[in-house]
Amino acid sequence: MQTKIDVSTQILDWIIRSIPLETVPDKVLSSIQKWRSGDSKPTFNQLEQVSKALGIPFGYFFLQTPPNEDLSIV
């Protein structure tokens, strides 16, 4: 039995805004859109694969709100 994971829509929206969509494989983008719309929920393995494909830390998928990124130069 596969466990489905609840991922915050805020996190999924943040991911879509943060990455250049032309570099995302169609399968990955399709999965994210299905999760965003609520048509399906990801499994642990699917989240791990998307994390690797997009270069996003795996733990970000378990946050409720997007991380605060301070990109100012020190």
Side-chain angles (χ1 to χ4, degrees):
M1 179 171 118
Q2 294 182 348
T3 301
K4 301 290 184 170
I5 311 280
D6 286 323
V7 178
S8 165
T9 55
Q10 290 181 25
I11 294 296
L12 296 173
D13 289 342
W14 171 77
I15 289 171
I16 290 171
R17 286 191 315 268
S18 300
I19 55 175
L21 295 180
E22 60 275 357
T23 64
V24 180
D26 290 337
K27 182 178 179 183
V28 171
L29 190 56
S30 173
S31 294
I32 292 173
Q33 290 171 341
K34 285 179 185 175
W35 303 338
R36 172 65 182 90
S37 69
D39 290 340
S40 68
K41 291 183 181 181
T43 64
F44 186 87
N45 289 338
Q46 288 172 326
L47 286 178
E48 191 173 43
Q49 291 170 354
V50 170
S51 172
K52 288 178 184 178
L54 301 180
I56 293 176
F58 180 69
Y60 281 15
F61 287 99
F62 299 95
L63 298 174
Q64 292 303 308
T65 58
N68 215 2
E69 296 179 315
D70 182 16
L71 301 177
S72 62
I73 297 176
V74 179

